[in-house]
Amino acid sequence: MPARGVFAHYREFMDVPAHTVEVTLSEGDTPLIPVPKLAEELGGGFELFVKFEGMNPTGSFKDRGMTVAIGEAHGRQAKTVICASTGNTAASAAAYAARCDMRAIVTIPEGKVAAGKLAGAVAYGAEVIQIDGSFDDALSLVVQISQQHPIALVNSLNPYRLEGQKSAAFEICDTLGSAPDWLCLPVGNAGNISAYWMGFRQYNQHKGTGLPQVLGVQAAGSAPLVLGHPVDKPETVATAIRIGRPARGEQALEAAEESGGRIIAVTDDEILHMQRRLAASGVWVEPASAAGLAGLARQLCEGKMDVRGKRVVGVCTGHGMKDPDIIAKSMPSPQKLPSELRALEDAILGRA
Ligand code: F0G
């Protein structure tokens, strides 16, 4: 079977220039995993699924948009791409640029990028530049660079990123046969929520698949869309969404409102708690990825959402392996024993 990524599969639904070429790592087609145990814990009486985007080739949902953005840039003979990133965009941009021998320059906020993401960007051969500032500072710089030099910007301000990312909404509809009743997802720079909403609306127009209500979830220390103003020093354990000035903030608010949903914030504790709950269902995601379902848990607990008899999808945007350090920090380290059968038996059988 030849490789078939999201561009080849959903090309007819993507508004891209004719020069766009296929640069693929067979991204997309990620599993929609039922998590009945978690649904029960949250009160039961509804169907809950995780769209596990950590199963994309570089371990995050970014690959869906990157295949199209890089395909467009490569198709018009651009030689260099640039992005600002909390880590996942960087790794994805680096991988797809490597695929077609383009130069990738990725800028990251200093000291706040999870180990698996930085390692990925380096491994795929990107030129990684740490900026002494936040993600928002880095984004503002790369936007200026892309305006002044023949260097393609591949952040989600690039419309082709969203064209590719819409494919996740299409896949969910194709798998379930229609849109879910609710879609819960983390919100950082707000490209993903905007793309999902575009995708669901488009599929509904073409195929009558219906529309979900959308619950976007920010981290409490980085919640500009909930507070209604930018956050100058965003903080959260979920470093992927540590963003104070979301580039597509307006669009995200519109998506939530038009869908009859909302954008809320959850604490770091709620995020880490949901990360553990998901892992207890066999789905290990990075902290930011747990935010969407942490938001669902909070809404259900506060009686603000009625999901009885409904189908709910939580989008888990990145793999747990992206951020191994968080587990080391928030979970007990492994027990150490001498290499003796008796000691192992005692430990397993709970003997003193
Ligand atoms: N989840 C993960 C794992 C992410 O990496 C991001 C964004 C988001 C959620 C939020 O998506 O920005 O479209 O609202 N990461 C970007 C990056 C900012 O640079 O990798 P968004």
Side-chain angles (χ1 to χ4, degrees):
M1 281 270 283
R4 275 205 96 199
V6 298
F7 183 57
H9 197 129
Y10 292 110
R11 172 129 191 37
E12 62 182 303
F13 297 105
M14 292 183 192
D15 185 9
V16 294
H19 64 245
T20 308
V21 292
E22 204 179 322
V23 180
T24 186
L25 285 162
S26 300
E27 61 292 319
D29 200 14
T30 56
L32 190 67
I33 306 173
V35 281
K37 187 167 71 171
L38 181 57
E40 271 317 301
E41 281 173 25
L42 298 180
F46 69 106
E47 279 185 276
L48 183 59
F49 302 86
V50 167
K51 181 69 171 161
F52 192 19
E53 291 288 278
M55 297 302 284
N56 277 296
T58 78
S60 87
F61 74 98
K62 304 288 181 181
D63 296 346
R64 294 180 182 277
M66 205 54 76
T67 181
V68 181
I70 301 264
E72 188 279 328
H74 185 50
R76 64 177 152 84
Q77 275 86 50
K79 300 282 177 258
T80 307
V81 296
I82 195 165
C83 66
S85 179
T86 55
N88 281 324
T89 300
S92 187
Y96 285 84
R99 209 64 193 155
C100 53
D101 296 317
M102 292 175 92
R103 182 178 171 203
I105 303 163
V106 307
T107 65
I108 55 174
E110 209 195 335
K112 300 284 182 185
V113 172
K117 303 177 188 180
L118 185 53
V122 172
Y124 297 124
E127 293 163 51
V128 182
I129 301 170
Q130 290 207 337
I131 302 286
D132 182 13
S134 65
F135 167 84
D136 305 289
D137 299 327
L139 181 59
S140 145
L141 290 172
V142 299
V143 166
Q144 292 174 61
I145 292 280
S146 70
Q147 285 164 348
Q148 290 163 20
H149 301 274
I151 296 178
L153 181 73
V154 292
N155 277 103
S156 59
L157 283 167
N158 178 326
Y160 310 123
R161 280 276 310 278
L162 268 58
E163 290 301 316
Q165 279 175 215
K166 289 188 307 193
S167 61
F170 304 155
E171 283 179 16
I172 291 173
C173 292
D174 285 342
T175 306
L176 293 178
S178 66
D181 297 292
W182 275 95
L183 184 87
C184 312
L185 79 173
V187 175
N189 212 26
N192 207 27
I193 186 172
S194 306
Y196 267 100
W197 186 236
M198 285 164 62
F200 281 119
R201 275 194 337 206
Q202 193 178 357
Y203 236 41
N204 187 39
Q205 267 170 11
H206 281 83
K207 303 194 169 199
T209 36
L211 294 169
Q213 288 176 273
V214 178
L215 179 71
V217 186
Q218 300 205 286
S222 308
L225 300 180
V226 180
L227 297 170
H229 58 76
V231 175
D232 282 335
K233 292 202 179 345
E235 272 311 332
T236 168
V237 68
T239 52
I241 52 173
R242 192 169 158 272
I243 293 173
R245 291 173 193 273
R248 291 196 181 262
E250 285 303 314
Q251 232 176 309
L253 289 166
E254 274 168 32
E257 194 183 316
E258 272 177 45
S259 77
R262 60 201 79 117
I263 298 187
I264 64 164
V266 294
T267 64
D268 281 2
D269 281 350
E270 288 173 276
I271 289 173
L272 293 177
H273 185 53
M274 184 51 74
Q275 186 191 29
R276 286 193 289 271
R277 282 178 137 176
L278 279 162
S281 281
V283 185
W284 180 29
V285 306
E286 67 166 285
S289 301
L293 286 171
L296 173 70
R298 150 88 67 111
Q299 291 274 292
L300 292 176
C301 184
E302 292 176 345
K304 289 187 177 153
M305 235 164 108
D306 183 6
V307 292
R308 268 168 307 171
K310 304 243 164 100
R311 285 195 302 198
V312 181
V313 170
V315 180
C316 288
T317 43
H319 203 287
M321 286 184 232
K322 289 277 191 171
D323 192 356
D325 299 338
I326 203 72
I327 300 300
K329 276 187 213 144
S330 64
M331 306 277 274
S333 44
Q335 192 181 359
K336 268 195 187 162
L337 289 179
S339 171
E340 290 166 11
L341 181 61
R342 187 61 197 272
L344 184 57
E345 264 180 348
D346 288 351
I348 292 171
L349 303 176
R351 296 198 294 239

